[in-house]
Amino acid sequence: MRESERGTMACIDEVTTQQLWLEEDIVQLGGQGRPRHVLFATAELSPLCRVGGLADAATGLVSALRRAGVCVTVVVPDYDGMALVEGRLVESLDVPDWAGPAVARWGTVEGIGEVVAVQSKGIRRPHPYNQPATGVGWEDNDLRFLGFSAAVAELARRLRPDVLHLNDWHTAAATAWSPEGMPVVLTIHNLAYQGDTGRAWLDRMGERWVPFAHHRRCNPLAGGIALADRVVAVSPTYAAETRRPGRGGGLDELLRSRGRSYVGIRNGIDVDRWDPETDPYLPAHFSATDLSGKARCRAELLHLAGLPDVPGEPVIGLVSRFVEQKGIDTTLQVATQMRGVSARMVLMGRGESDLEEAAVGAWAADPMRVSYLRDSAESLAHLVMAGSDLLLVPSRFEPCGLTPMEAMRCGTIPVVTPVGGLRDSVIDASGNEATGNGFIAPACDAVGVSLALSRAIRSWADPTRRAAIRRAGMMADWSWHTPARSYISLYDELCSVGDAGIGSVMSGGVNELPHDRLMSIPLR
């Protein structure tokens, strides 16, 4: 049996085992009588290796695709000798000398299904990206993830999937070595991280090195954007924003050049994991029709945070990584004004030390109104999300933003800034009484956020308005079903084109690259 056939048969076995052959949903290649096969490469996959939203998005999409009948082979870096059950195959991969040796282990993971864990040069570390002692990125992250990308491309050559689906810069460089004519989808979860590295790496990118040359350096994400047949941002608004000058992390011109090949598909969330009726992390359960358990969650949160439970005063929660992007400094400016506001604020998260210390300072300055839970435990995040009445998401930019959707599942009303995917999930209740599910600040600063919070607090104080806004959020479909169908439509479109290709750069050729980039490509 050829390697490509083996990969297809493994997919068929898995789909059959999971009883996914639903006649109305099964996705098949026309006339070939088998499910479509997608090789899906990601640097994170929950719960195996999770740093942020990439892990949740990857797991959610893969699960939804499999439920729809797509055969998905998931490949992840083997960071720490991941425990795979029913491991049935270990094989060496033919990669460039600088990337090897590389080995792929096939097995399954409970709750995910089949997974391929790849060990390439330098990939095994206690943390996927950063040195635990300092939080600074590993110095050889370029070698680690470019090597992993080369291994992904070799897997694609062996398995011959119908579509190669890549995620972020960690896998984008696979486009340099992927089989010619194979449709490639690249999903961008955050343009702030591009894997930019020294120009010497251009010598290792093979015949397709040209698109990776960006500002006289090697940029894996830029190369992937140029070479992929379709580029997908994780929300329509983020796709629109990043086309604008100054908003695309230096890649806006390249993104504009992709035209209709660059689209936005909003992420979903795991609605089973974020289900207040069954959530094991909550002290009491509740639903859209019976919110009594939410009051107990609120009481438990306030007790843990050391804040008084004052009837008629909402609890404002924040669950976030403490980094500049997330607007933590803006939140702390708002927190200093809490003395004149009839509300309590609970902040939760870990991240940059200066922001953590500033949060400790805000807590110490007003301990009866502000509390800081210096933790990142998932169980605590669920309690803050469910126990709060309002959830603050003051991001400076946000590719998608899963937090507001998770909050709305828990009957918590989001207050967000007007950026990225936050605009695609939150409908401002001030101007949309029938469908409004939250509040959008007029600007990403303390004044704008304070104005939105004031509107939210006033609406929360009205039981009828509060119930309507909560209901709109809780009854919406935040699952991966619709996003998965959008990706399947995209796969269908690419596969129907076949070897003709769609606006991609292959075999060293150049198509649709900006003229000034062509003129400024450095000699290697």
Side-chain angles (χ1 to χ4, degrees):
M1 180 181 292
R2 297 195 306 270
E3 288 162 329
S4 59
E5 292 174 336
R6 182 181 64 206
T8 298
M9 290 307 297
C11 278
I12 291 175
D13 289 343
E14 182 177 2
V15 170
T16 304
T17 299
Q18 296 183 34
Q19 297 181 332
L20 297 178
W21 288 94
L22 304 177
E23 185 175 350
E24 66 274 18
D25 285 334
I26 195 70
V27 179
Q28 295 186 352
L29 285 175
Q32 295 185 29
R34 64 177 176 83
R36 195 178 306 293
H37 181 198
V38 174
L39 180 60
F40 189 96
T42 175
E44 298 181 36
L45 189 69
S46 186
L48 273 181
C49 43
R50 184 184 188 280
V51 175
L54 172 59
D56 296 334
T59 302
L61 178 55
V62 166
S63 297
L65 289 172
R66 284 174 169 168
R67 283 194 296 271
V70 180
C71 284
V72 185
T73 299
V74 187
V75 55
V76 296
D78 194 357
Y79 292 117
D80 55 2
M82 296 172 177
L84 303 180
V85 299
E86 300 178 4
R88 67 173 188 275
L89 181 66
V90 177
E91 58 182 327
S92 297
L93 300 176
D94 184 13
V95 297
D97 291 342
W98 57 266
V103 176
R105 294 191 298 122
W106 300 66
T108 60
V109 176
E110 184 178 358
I112 297 177
E114 184 180 75
V115 172
V116 182
V118 168
Q119 182 182 354
S120 54
K121 192 169 185 178
I123 204 67
R124 284 201 174 188
R125 296 290 163 82
H127 187 280
Y129 313 132
N130 303 325
Q131 302 173 49
T134 63
V136 176
W138 299 106
E139 292 182 358
D140 60 347
N141 273 343
D142 46 9
L143 169 65
R144 297 174 67 233
F145 289 106
L146 290 176
F148 174 63
S149 295
V152 168
E154 170 61 10
L155 276 173
R157 185 192 67 79
R158 293 190 183 192
L159 299 179
R160 301 301 301 186
D162 301 306
V163 177
L164 173 59
H165 191 150
L166 307 173
N167 292 272
D168 273 351
W169 81 266
H170 319 96
T171 59
T175 53
W177 308 285
S178 60
E180 187 167 359
M182 179 176 291
V184 178
V185 174
L186 171 63
T187 296
I188 298 173
H189 298 261
N190 195 333
L191 268 168
Y193 304 101
Q194 301 179 11
D196 181 73
T197 188
R199 63 187 292 178
W201 276 99
L202 295 171
D203 290 327
R204 299 178 176 179
M205 305 311 293
E207 294 180 351
R208 302 175 194 159
W209 68 272
V210 172
F212 293 89
H214 185 73
H215 295 315
R216 299 185 178 274
R217 293 173 62 79
C218 178
N219 188 311
L221 188 60
I225 290 171
L227 287 164
D229 296 289
R230 285 289 185 271
V231 182
V232 182
V234 290
S235 70
T237 298
Y238 190 59
E241 287 178 348
T242 52
R243 286 186 174 97
R244 301 172 191 162
R247 299 293 296 274
L251 302 180
D252 51 277
E253 186 175 9
L254 175 59
L255 291 169
R256 288 194 300 274
S257 76
R258 294 311 314 268
R260 294 182 179 179
S261 294
Y262 180 39
V263 300
I265 299 175
R266 180 184 56 76
N267 283 342
I269 63 170
D270 185 338
V271 293
D272 294 324
R273 179 172 160 232
W274 291 98
D275 184 352
E277 294 190 61
T278 59
D279 192 332
Y281 295 125
L282 301 184
H285 294 141
F286 56 94
S287 67
T289 56
D290 180 6
L291 289 165
S292 56
K294 185 172 177 66
R296 184 175 166 189
C297 292
R298 170 187 153 120
E300 181 71 17
L301 173 61
L302 289 170
H303 174 74
L304 185 65
L307 296 174
D309 190 348
V310 180
E313 290 193 4
V315 177
I316 304 168
L318 178 140
V319 179
S320 177
R321 287 182 294 118
F322 274 47
V323 294
E324 182 184 13
Q325 172 202 339
K326 299 298 183 178
I328 303 301
D329 55 340
T330 300
T331 300
L332 297 178
Q333 292 179 52
V334 174
T336 61
Q337 306 165 10
M338 289 298 292
R339 286 188 179 87
V341 179
S342 298
R344 311 287 154 170
M345 180 175 284
V346 179
L347 313 177
M348 179 216 158
R350 297 298 307 268
E352 297 172 5
S353 58
D354 57 335
L355 292 175
E356 289 187 9
E357 290 304 320
V360 171
W363 178 19
D366 196 359
M368 297 303 289
R369 291 201 175 275
V370 178
S371 180
Y372 172 39
L373 304 176
R374 201 171 191 172
D375 202 336
S376 58
E378 182 178 3
S379 56
L380 182 58
H382 281 241
L383 179 61
V384 176
M385 207 78 81
S388 298
D389 299 299
L390 308 173
L391 191 85
L392 185 58
V393 188
S395 304
R396 285 185 167 81
F397 67 92
E398 195 62 71
C400 178
L402 304 181
T403 306
M405 293 183 274
E406 294 164 350
M408 286 186 275
R409 280 284 287 171
C410 298
T412 301
I413 300 170
V415 180
V416 306
T417 42
V419 296
L422 303 181
R423 295 192 70 97
D424 295 319
S425 58
V426 177
I427 301 172
D428 198 300
S430 296
N432 301 274
E433 292 194 4
T435 60
N437 56 22
F439 295 87
I440 301 177
C444 301
D445 54 28
V447 173
V449 171
S450 294
L451 289 172
L453 271 176
S454 296
R455 288 189 287 121
I457 291 171
R458 287 196 301 271
S459 293
W460 184 89
D462 181 339
T464 302
R465 290 286 294 129
R466 178 171 68 216
I469 298 169
R470 273 179 172 168
R471 189 180 307 110
M474 295 186 79
M475 299 304 291
D477 179 12
W478 303 116
S479 75
W480 274 98
H481 178 77
T482 298
R485 301 308 302 186
S486 295
Y487 274 104
I488 290 169
S489 295
L490 188 151
Y491 299 155
D492 289 342
E493 180 184 355
L494 290 175
C495 291
S496 67
V497 173
D499 292 337
I502 303 178
S504 59
V505 183
M506 301 300 289
S507 301
V510 180
N511 178 29
E512 292 195 314
L513 281 174
H515 178 72
D516 60 343
R517 274 198 58 212
L518 293 177
M519 298 299 291
S520 63
I521 288 174
L523 296 176
R524 292 183 290 170

